[in-house]
């Protein structure tokens, strides 16, 4: 029995090494979990989204500026067309009102009115 115990406890240094390896692996795992939690935190996600919006809007503004410099007449015509589309309803009301004011009104034919008998007061 003593020989069995000697064999079991002869590799105690290996157990200590294994334990230290386990502790190191646990530490690395906890660090990785911390990084993942930080990267999926709502504030981090919001910051990344805002940064992407800023970058894309800057790119869009830059490309729009290039288009305006390359084709100013086309851009002006397009802007005017969009403006007319947006103002179509108010303009149609304006012109319809002027048209009615310019047309002479035709005399109305009068139909004889008949009086309705009044209801007796109760």
């Amino acid at each position: 029995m003593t020989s069995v115990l000697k064999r079991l406890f002869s590799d105690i240094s290996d157990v200590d090494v294994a334990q230290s390896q386990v502790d190191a692996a646990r530490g690395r795992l906890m660090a990785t979990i911390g990084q993942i939690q930080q990267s999926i935190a709502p504030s981090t996600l919001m910051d990344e989204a805002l940064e992407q919006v800023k970058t894309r809007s800057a790119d869009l503004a830059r490309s729009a500026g290039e288009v305006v410099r390359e084709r100013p007449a086309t851009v002006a015509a397009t802007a005017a067309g969009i403006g007319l589309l947006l103002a179509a309803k108010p303009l149609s009301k304006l012109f319809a009102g002027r048209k009615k004011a310019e047309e002479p009104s035709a005399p109305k034919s009068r139909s004889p009115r008949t009086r309705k008998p009044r209801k007796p007061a109760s």
Side-chain angles (χ1 to χ4, degrees), residues 32-96:
T32 302
I33 289 172
Q35 289 173 349
I36 291 171
Q37 286 176 335
Q38 177 64 29
S39 68
I40 63 171
S43 60
T44 304
L45 294 174
M46 181 64 98
D47 291 343
E48 289 175 4
L50 287 175
E51 189 61 35
Q52 285 182 358
V53 167
K54 287 178 186 177
T55 302
R56 290 184 181 172
S57 61
D59 292 343
L60 179 63
R62 192 176 309 111
S63 66
E66 290 172 6
V67 168
V68 169
R69 275 186 244 110
E70 291 172 3
R71 299 180 188 97
T74 305
V75 172
T78 303
I82 291 172
L84 286 174
L85 284 174
L86 293 174
K89 192 170 185 178
L91 288 176
S92 67
K93 286 181 181 180
L94 177 70
F95 289 123

